[in-house]
Every structure is written in structure tokens, then in C-alpha cells.
Amino acid sequence: GKLCADNFDHIVIRRGNYQRGRGEQEMYGILQSGIAESDSNTQVEIVPESRDAIRHAVSQARHNELVVV
């Protein structure tokens, strides 16, 4: 989470396929804790479904911005 927040202005968190035995909310919490460790003002959104998260990220991107999936 911190690494992403240090390098990106906007993060869309989605539910992963392999959660290492953790629940969905716990995984979101772990990522958000790492993001909070960053000194950045990164915007964070949770969009659980992968396809919806990708569509959302692409629709929010401005001209010439990079979207990393």
C-alpha cells in the first residue's frame, strides 16, 4: 500500500483472487494501513469487482495519465 501511495495519485483497490486466508475487509484494511503510512495525499477508492474497478479507473483517468492494473 505505501509503495503505491508513494508513486500514484489515485488508487482503486479491488478484491483479489488469492487473499492468503484473509477476509475481504481485512485485506482492504491491510492495504489502507500501508497507504496511510505514506506522506502523500493519494485518493483511495474500493471497487470490489475487478471489471468494475478497471472500468472505473479508466473512466477516471485524464488524457495522458497512466492506469496500472
Side-chain angles (χ1 to χ4, degrees), residues 28-43:
Y28 297 152
I30 291 169
L31 290 169
Q32 288 175 310
S33 292
I35 291 165
E37 291 177 12
S38 175
D39 292 331
S40 70
N41 291 323
T42 302
Q43 262 188 317

Side-chain angles (χ1 to χ4, degrees), residues 3-60:
L3 180 65
C4 289
D6 287 344
N7 291 285
F8 297 101
D9 298 323
H10 191 162
I11 297 172
V12 178
I13 298 173
R14 66 162 183 87
R15 180 179 50 242
N17 294 331
Y18 180 62
Q19 297 177 326
R20 297 174 180 92
R22 296 183 169 100
E24 185 175 321
Q25 295 303 317
E26 184 180 3
M27 289 302 293
Y28 297 152
I30 291 169
L31 290 169
Q32 288 175 310
S33 292
I35 291 165
E37 291 177 12
S38 175
D39 292 331
S40 70
N41 291 323
T42 302
Q43 262 188 317
V44 180
E45 295 180 81
I46 296 174
V47 181
E49 295 300 322
S50 292
R51 287 183 182 188
D52 294 339
I54 293 167
R55 282 188 195 113
H56 178 73
V58 170
S59 74
Q60 296 298 307

